[in-house]
């Protein structure tokens, strides 16, 4: 009864493990790089973040029952630390491209196999979904950056697939579907923020479909690894569940065909506009030539 998943496990573990203080962002309030005279201050924060990432992975490498409680206590603290340090790294300012850390985190998490407690699983998921938020651009240029085609998106779906392969105990089918939908919606939201308000005329002019649907249909090279992970997930689902998931995210056959038709229509309209513009330019050129010839004849008459 005191083993992992036993009804007395949490009670015994809490008695054996001293209580931890609640996570507080103030302990990671470090002066920003702009206020530091040293030009290498941003590099220091980058190193600090790497150290914290390594400590996070090291913590997850423990698989003893007692450390399950430590995970629940410490994961929120690591989340706060990574969040604060990421804000201070000028070269990125976000967690979107920490692929090495994500892969290490996945391998460390999988060591628990199906014995990972659902509470710990949910903490990791909540922390990961927060990393989907909009970044400030990995080159420090000040522009906003979406998580739609970022490694944080690909690695999260990879983690879900690996968890699902361990059986329904760790990640039931319904939970797999809902979390994958949450990931797609988080990426969609970040894309909307980067492109501007939902009612932006420029966005509407491009397509009325969601950004996730557009990314799925266009299948550009930076989105292909993410699409492969989603397709792997869909293969593990029954046909009815997979079709329902596609309909929810608007990537079923009907939505895709409608988007392709819309893209073709938009392309035809753009070509028509270009054609009319060329014709108008040709007419203006002809008028200029006629005016020039008339001017020449007038000079000759004079």
């Amino acid at each position: 009864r005191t083993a992992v998943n036993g009804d007395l496990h949490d009670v015994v573990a809490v008695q054996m493990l001293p209580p931890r203080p609640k996570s507080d962002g103030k302990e990671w309030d470090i002066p920003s790089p702009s206020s530091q005279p040293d030009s290498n201050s941003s590099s220091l924060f980058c190193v600090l973040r790497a150290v914290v990432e390594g400590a996070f992975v090291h913590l997850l490498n423990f698989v003893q029952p007692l450390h399950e409680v430590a995970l629940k206590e410490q994961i929120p603290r690591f989340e706060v630390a990574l969040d604060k340090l990421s804000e201070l790294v000028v070269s990125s300012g976000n967690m979107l491209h920490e692929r090495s850390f994500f892969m290490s985190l996945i391998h460390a998490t999988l060591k628990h196999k199906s014995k990972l407690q659902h509470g710990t699983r949910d903490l990791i998921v909540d922390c990961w979904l927060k990393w989907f938020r909009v970044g400030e651009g990995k080159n420090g240029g000040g522009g906003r950056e979406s998580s739609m085609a970022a490694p944080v998106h690909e690695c999260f779906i990879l983690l879900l697939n690996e968890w699902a392969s361990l059986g329904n105990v760790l990640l039931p089918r319904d939970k797999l579907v809902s979390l994958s939908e949450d990931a797609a919606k988080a990426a969609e939201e970040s894309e909307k923020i980067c492109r501007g308000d939902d009612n932006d005329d420029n966005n509407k002019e491009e397509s009325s479909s969601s950004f996730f649907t557009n990314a799925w249909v266009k299948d550009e090279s930076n989105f292909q690894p993410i699409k492969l992970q989603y397709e792997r997930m869909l293969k593990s689902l029954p046909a009815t569940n997979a079709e329902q998931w596609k309909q929810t995210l608007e990537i079923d056959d009907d939505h895709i065909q409608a988007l392709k038709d819309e893209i073709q229509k938009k392309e035809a309209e753009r070509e028509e506009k270009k054609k009319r513009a060329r014709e108008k330019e040709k007419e203006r050129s002809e008028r200029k030539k006629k005016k020039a010839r008339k001017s020449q004849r007038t000079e000759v008459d004079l």
Side-chain angles (χ1 to χ4, degrees), residues 50-225:
V51 171
V52 174
E53 290 174 348
F56 193 177
V57 172
H58 182 69
L59 177 68
L60 286 172
N61 274 318
F62 292 110
V63 296
Q64 291 84 353
L66 181 60
H67 292 122
E68 288 284 343
V69 181
L71 292 178
K72 293 180 181 179
E73 296 289 341
Q74 293 293 352
I75 286 176
R77 296 171 62 82
F78 277 100
E79 177 189 343
V80 172
L82 290 173
D83 183 55
K84 288 291 183 179
L85 289 172
S86 294
E87 292 176 358
L88 299 172
V89 179
V90 175
S91 62
S92 63
N94 58 71
M95 292 287 292
L96 300 181
H97 297 276
E98 296 296 297
R99 182 182 180 84
S100 298
F101 167 59
F102 297 145
M103 296 303 296
S104 299
L105 197 61
I106 290 172
H107 289 302
T109 303
L110 292 176
K111 285 186 177 182
H112 296 260
K113 298 184 178 179
S114 59
K115 295 181 180 180
L116 186 70
Q117 293 185 359
H118 287 186
T120 306
R121 177 204 66 190
D122 293 340
L123 281 174
I124 295 173
V125 166
D126 292 342
C127 180
W128 207 306
L129 287 175
K130 290 178 182 177
W131 292 333
F132 273 71
R133 65 179 179 272
V134 173
E136 295 301 325
K138 64 179 180 179
N139 295 322
R144 288 182 168 182
E145 187 175 10
S146 166
S147 58
M148 180 65 74
V152 66
H153 193 175
E154 174 196 355
C155 293
F156 182 70
I157 305 303
L158 171 62
L159 175 62
L160 296 184
N161 282 326
E162 294 298 330
W163 275 347
S165 67
L166 297 175
N168 288 330
V169 176
L170 177 58
L171 192 65
R173 183 183 300 158
D174 293 343
K175 191 69 175 178
L176 170 63
V177 171
S178 64
L179 289 179
S180 61
E181 289 177 359
D182 290 342
K185 291 174 182 176
E188 173 79 13
E189 186 62 28
S190 72
E191 189 76 17
K192 285 182 180 179
I193 294 174
C194 289
R195 299 211 181 196
D197 190 75
D198 301 63
N199 295 322
D200 193 321
D201 292 337
N202 293 330
N203 292 339
K204 281 190 172 184
E205 189 173 321
E206 181 178 345
S207 173
S208 60
S209 300
S210 68
F211 294 114
F212 185 81
T213 308
N214 275 274
W216 188 279
V217 172
K218 291 179 180 179
D219 197 23
E220 295 178 348
S221 59
N222 57 352
F223 188 76
Q224 285 176 357

Side-chain angles (χ1 to χ4, degrees), residues 248-262:
T248 301
L249 295 177
E250 299 181 355
I251 57 170
D252 57 294
D253 293 341
D254 293 339
H255 279 93
I256 289 178
Q257 187 58 48
L259 177 58
K260 289 181 177 179
D261 293 342
E262 183 180 356

